[in-house]
Amino acid sequence: MSSRPAPLIPPRLRAFLGRVPLLVPLVRFVRKLSSNDRSLLIALVVVTLLIGILDAEVSAYWFSPSLLILVTLMGGLQLRLRSLAILLCAVALSLSYTGAIRGIESVGAGLLITMGFTAVLAWLMARTRGKLGVQGLRGDAMLLELRDRLKRQSELPPLPKEWGSKVVLKQAGGSSFGGDFVVSMREGDHVEIAVVDVSGKGVDAGTRALMLSGTFGGLLGSVQDFLAACNTYLHRQLGDEGFVTAVHLTLDLSTGEYKITSAGHPPVVKFDAGTGTWRVSTAKGVVLGVVPDLHCEPDSGVLRKGDALMLFTDGLIEQPGRDIDAGLDRLLGEAERLLPSGFRDRARQLVQSMTSGHNDDCALVLIWRP
């Protein structure tokens, strides 16, 4: 007489599953999911149930229910919200089975609290990804790609050997995103550079800076009056977009002639090699987006051998409780002390010296004739 084969599902587990009324509707729901989401969900559910079975039937030492924390986190990173809900049901089922077989004390209050916190965290991650319409870590990869594009856009175009340039960007709190950015273009001997400051700092201003950098970069070199076109664009936007200031430099590399226009931005300063002093530009204008018709008072001149222009944002000279003119005087003093020994090598040191003690976005552009 042949012996009957051992059942695939342990009798105690089969009896336990029979008391779960939502099991059949859940199975039907899983069949309606997309193939990728369904495959991962089935794999995670199987692992979850196996952990519960092996913990209760084999060894709690090797198959601890704390392994379900890793499964839940993986589900939060990869699954859609509805699929995650099914996985969390499977996790609760696994823990309930372990508690029913080995006693509730085998699970413990500490593990239940940790699992509850992990489930909430996974739910928030899945909901955020659901709003973006991405899976896994693709949302983070998109932000990194946008950050890299913003950095590449802030690089100045290659200049002839008789010219030098340096860009220094420093974001508040060490963030990869900030409200200050630079856009530039070169066509033959004609160079245009714009330094823009979006209100706010750090990540809060970074999203607007990412959007505006693409818009302003497209306008630069494509319109006759750059700042007026930027003002028209911002004035059309609905809602409170905050303040945007900018300074625009056009430079002829063959003659050294330049023109500066400013919209509510800190003044450009020029180093005169003949006298060894820095002169503050007289260019001024209204903040972008405030009035429909922007009027700017430009400043122009010529860069000769040894001369330099320095464009910067207010984060370099603005400090809490101090007048902005005092910050500008301090910048000119630091520039006289540091920059004559080398514009390229001392530009970052100048930024570090000016921003020590306060946390704000800042940008600095130096362009000179050696």
Side-chain angles (χ1 to χ4, degrees):
M1 184 176 177
S2 60
S3 59
R4 299 178 61 184
L8 183 62
I9 301 178
R12 288 186 295 183
L13 177 61
R14 187 164 48 191
F16 180 80
L17 293 177
R19 296 195 296 269
V20 181
L22 296 177
L23 190 59
V24 174
L26 285 177
V27 172
R28 292 176 179 173
F29 178 77
V30 169
R31 293 175 180 174
K32 299 178 181 179
L33 299 175
S34 63
S35 58
N36 293 336
D37 211 40
R38 181 172 63 243
S39 300
L40 180 60
L41 174 61
I42 292 174
L44 292 178
V45 168
V46 169
V47 170
T48 299
L49 296 179
L50 279 176
I51 290 174
I53 295 170
L54 295 174
D55 176 36
E57 305 289 343
V58 180
S59 171
Y61 180 80
W62 290 105
F63 304 101
S64 171
S66 59
L67 294 173
L68 297 175
I69 296 175
L70 300 178
V71 177
T72 304
L73 287 176
M74 186 177 295
L77 286 172
Q78 298 292 338
L79 293 177
R80 300 185 186 276
L81 202 58
R82 293 185 300 176
S83 301
L84 179 62
I86 298 175
L87 177 62
L88 293 179
C89 291
V91 170
L93 184 65
S94 180
L95 290 174
S96 300
Y97 179 70
T98 300
I101 300 302
R102 297 178 52 235
I104 191 63
E105 67 279 355
S106 64
V107 179
L111 178 61
L112 292 178
I113 293 174
T114 305
M115 282 301 309
F117 178 81
T118 305
V120 171
L121 179 62
W123 187 268
L124 293 176
M125 289 191 298
R127 188 175 65 176
T128 301
R129 288 188 297 101
K131 292 179 180 179
L132 294 174
V134 297
Q135 281 188 286
L137 300 176
R138 179 55 186 163
D140 296 333
M142 291 170 60
L143 285 176
L144 291 174
E145 185 176 347
L146 288 172
R147 180 204 63 184
D148 294 340
R149 286 178 179 271
L150 184 60
K151 285 185 176 181
R152 287 196 299 268
Q153 196 170 34
S154 296
E155 297 175 357
L156 297 185
L159 301 180
K161 62 181 181 179
E162 61 268 18
W163 288 89
S165 63
K166 181 69 175 180
V167 177
V168 181
L169 295 175
K170 183 175 180 291
Q171 315 300 356
S175 170
S176 297
F177 299 92
D180 297 354
F181 63 90
V182 179
V183 290
S184 59
M185 60 79 61
R186 176 188 174 187
E187 186 175 351
D189 289 333
H190 180 73
V191 174
E192 294 190 41
I193 302 171
V195 180
V196 185
D197 183 2
V198 177
S199 61
K201 61 182 179 180
V203 179
D204 296 334
T207 53
R208 293 181 59 228
L210 285 169
M211 179 189 69
L212 292 179
S213 65
T215 303
F216 287 9
L219 292 173
L220 193 68
S222 302
V223 294
Q224 187 71 24
D225 193 338
F226 170 73
L227 289 185
C230 294
N231 181 76
T232 302
Y233 169 78
L234 289 173
H235 198 263
R236 288 201 310 262
Q237 304 306 302
L238 300 177
D240 183 13
E241 291 291 335
F243 295 110
V244 178
T245 67
V247 62
H248 177 224
L249 168 68
T250 60
L251 176 64
D252 189 328
L253 297 175
S254 60
T255 63
E257 295 180 353
Y258 66 85
K259 180 181 178 182
I260 300 169
T261 51
S262 176
H265 206 79
V268 176
V269 294
K270 176 189 176 183
F271 177 72
D272 190 336
T275 61
T277 58
W278 291 86
R279 181 181 68 84
V280 179
S281 169
T282 58
K284 58 183 178 179
V286 183
V287 174
L288 293 176
V290 176
V291 295
D293 297 320
L294 183 69
H295 175 69
C296 297
E297 298 180 13
D299 185 21
S300 59
V302 179
L303 282 181
R304 297 179 174 86
K305 296 292 185 179
D307 291 354
L309 285 174
M310 180 164 58
L311 296 75
F312 53 91
T313 57
D314 60 4
L316 197 66
I317 59 176
E318 193 175 44
Q319 294 187 5
R322 296 187 61 181
D323 189 85
I324 195 169
D325 290 334
L328 181 58
D329 292 339
R330 178 168 174 254
L331 172 65
L332 296 181
E334 289 292 310
E336 289 181 359
R337 182 176 67 88
L338 294 173
L339 294 182
S341 59
F343 290 108
R344 186 183 304 275
D345 298 331
R346 294 303 183 94
R348 187 168 295 277
Q349 186 177 349
L350 174 65
V351 172
Q352 296 295 340
S353 174
M354 289 298 300
T355 57
S356 61
H358 71 282
N359 185 30
D360 199 358
D361 298 331
C362 69
L364 170 73
V365 176
L366 267 170
I367 185 165
W368 67 91
R369 299 186 77 172

